[in-house]
Amino acid sequence: QDLIQFGKDANQATLLASAQWLQKDLPIRMGHRVQELQSLPVTMFKTQPVIDLCNLYEESFVRVTEHEVPKTREVEERFSAMLTDIKERHRMVQANIADGFKQMVRNGVPQRFMEHPDIQEKLTKFYTGRIGIRLLIDQHLMLR
């Protein structure tokens, strides 16, 4: 409901407020995604696709935190372009996780281990948080 109301009254001030809020909130959410990946069992966390995924989230974290605060239309436009790029670069997350499972199979990890409820629970939490990040980015970009 809040997202709908926020979008209905969108203007330049709303857009700047949204960008500034995202610049503070997204790094927290991205940091949580990294922690969730790092909490996976070592046999999964240490696969190259999952390491690459952690690096992607860490890089996005740095990009958002180091970006100039969006206080003008021009800076907000650059910030939004960066968000669009981040969203695009993160589109293959499911493939990274799937490749991590494939690497576990190649490494001889038993199937029952990969289906362990702990792994599934942690990945569900990771994916739920990922959806939240994408929703917030989409909401901001739709204000434009």
Side-chain angles (χ1 to χ4, degrees), residues 31-106:
H32 288 160
R33 302 301 72 82
V34 170
Q35 287 176 333
E36 289 158 4
L37 291 171
Q38 291 173 339
S39 75
L40 289 168
V42 70
T43 53
M44 177 141 200
F45 173 66
K46 290 298 183 181
T47 62
Q48 193 59 52
V50 177
I51 291 170
D52 292 345
L53 188 54
C54 274
N55 291 340
L56 179 64
Y57 273 94
E58 289 169 354
E59 177 186 313
S60 297
F61 174 96
V62 169
R63 288 178 71 191
V64 173
T65 56
E66 290 184 351
H67 196 282
E68 182 180 356
V69 176
K71 293 182 179 179
T72 67
R73 181 182 190 103
E74 294 78 22
V75 176
E76 185 282 323
E77 286 173 359
R78 289 193 303 271
F79 184 77
S80 290
M82 178 194 62
L83 292 179
T84 300
D85 181 61
I86 287 172
K87 184 179 171 209
E88 176 63 22
R89 295 185 69 205
H90 284 249
R91 70 180 165 81
M92 298 300 293
V93 165
Q94 295 95 329
N96 285 71
I97 297 294
D99 290 344
F101 277 114
K102 288 177 188 174
Q103 188 170 338
M104 288 172 66
V105 169
R106 286 192 298 273

